[in-house]
Amino acid sequence: MANYRAIGATSEALAGLIRDRYPREEFGTGLGVDIYVPRNFEAPMAEGFSVSLLRVSINGSVRNMTYRRDPDGRRFRPSLPLDLHYLITPWARDGGTQHRMLGWVMRMLEDQGTLSSSHLNHYVAEPDIFAPDESLDIVCDPLGLNDYLTLWDRLRSLPPSATYAVRMALLDSQVRIEDGPPVQTRKFDLGQVSA
């Protein structure tokens, strides 16, 4: 199961998919694909795609999870279900190219739909962050108008971008839940008078 490295691995997987799949015959071979933090938007790349983690939230639909069990039957505290909200931005010298790049990346992410554990583990140094049966859903998740206006106010040079949610990244706990020893005897003191 995924550990605390899952957020970074998901960001790397999104950037890696875009880097591996963008149509080089149309956009050329020199496009950069980088993971951006807010300071990168002050001096963005000339051509390429940026993947920026905007927000992390607790998944509200599956909040009350049960204890996690490993293959040996040991119990651990419940996993933390997260939704990761990304801003995918195409950067180009002219608006027409930006719009074509935006259309391509939105279509590619919609076609992908799900990030399997092989995708998620492929782009990071640790190949076992996600278990073989884990996957994450990619869903287009447009911001509200107020959020867009706030974003455009802060990042004045931001070209048209798309926002996506990657849902149900489970961060597993390593805190074991220990069972007490088996009960050997019971002592009933009901009905006794104590002084």
Side-chain angles (χ1 to χ4, degrees):
M1 301 304 269
N3 57 30
Y4 65 90
R5 295 182 182 100
I7 296 173
T10 304
S11 300
E12 292 290 346
L14 284 174
L17 281 173
I18 295 169
R19 187 179 305 113
D20 289 350
R21 295 184 180 182
Y22 79 83
R24 284 154 177 78
E25 65 279 355
E26 183 172 354
F27 302 129
T29 58
L31 290 187
V33 180
D34 293 324
I35 297 173
Y36 267 29
V37 294
R39 72 175 175 273
N40 296 124
F41 287 98
E42 296 168 7
M45 66 180 81
E47 294 183 322
F49 292 93
S50 64
V51 176
S52 179
L53 182 61
L54 284 181
R55 184 170 61 97
V56 177
S57 61
I58 303 292
N59 184 288
S61 60
V62 188
R63 185 64 180 113
N64 191 15
M65 299 190 71
T66 60
Y67 291 125
R68 178 178 66 86
R69 288 193 183 271
D70 70 1
D72 297 331
R74 293 176 296 194
R75 293 187 311 161
F76 295 87
R77 290 191 49 87
S79 299
L80 180 64
L82 298 179
D83 289 344
L84 311 174
H85 303 268
Y86 288 94
L87 177 71
I88 312 290
T89 305
W91 301 93
R93 299 187 198 289
D94 64 275
T97 304
Q98 281 179 347
H99 297 171
R100 287 195 309 275
M101 290 169 66
L102 181 62
W104 172 82
V105 77
M106 291 183 75
R107 182 69 258 173
M108 186 274 293
L109 290 173
E110 184 67 26
D111 289 341
Q112 183 67 38
T114 301
L115 292 172
S116 67
S117 63
S118 61
H119 286 118
L120 293 161
N121 290 328
H122 178 72
Y123 297 99
V124 291
E126 307 90 350
D128 60 346
I129 293 174
F130 289 88
D133 61 342
E134 285 185 283
S135 64
L136 303 177
D137 294 327
I138 305 171
V139 180
C140 188
D141 187 31
L143 296 175
L145 182 58
N146 288 339
D147 293 329
Y148 273 122
L149 293 174
T150 302
L151 191 63
W152 288 331
D153 188 44
R154 303 272 190 266
L155 306 172
R156 296 195 180 273
S157 64
L158 185 70
S161 304
T163 51
Y164 283 85
V166 179
R167 298 216 170 129
M168 288 300 292
L170 297 176
L171 301 188
D172 293 337
S173 175
Q174 298 304 313
V175 177
R176 278 183 68 178
I177 304 297
E178 299 291 342
D179 294 325
V183 174
Q184 300 294 322
T185 59
R186 289 194 224 183
K187 181 178 178 184
F188 297 102
D189 56 359
L190 296 175
Q192 295 181 2
V193 179
S194 57

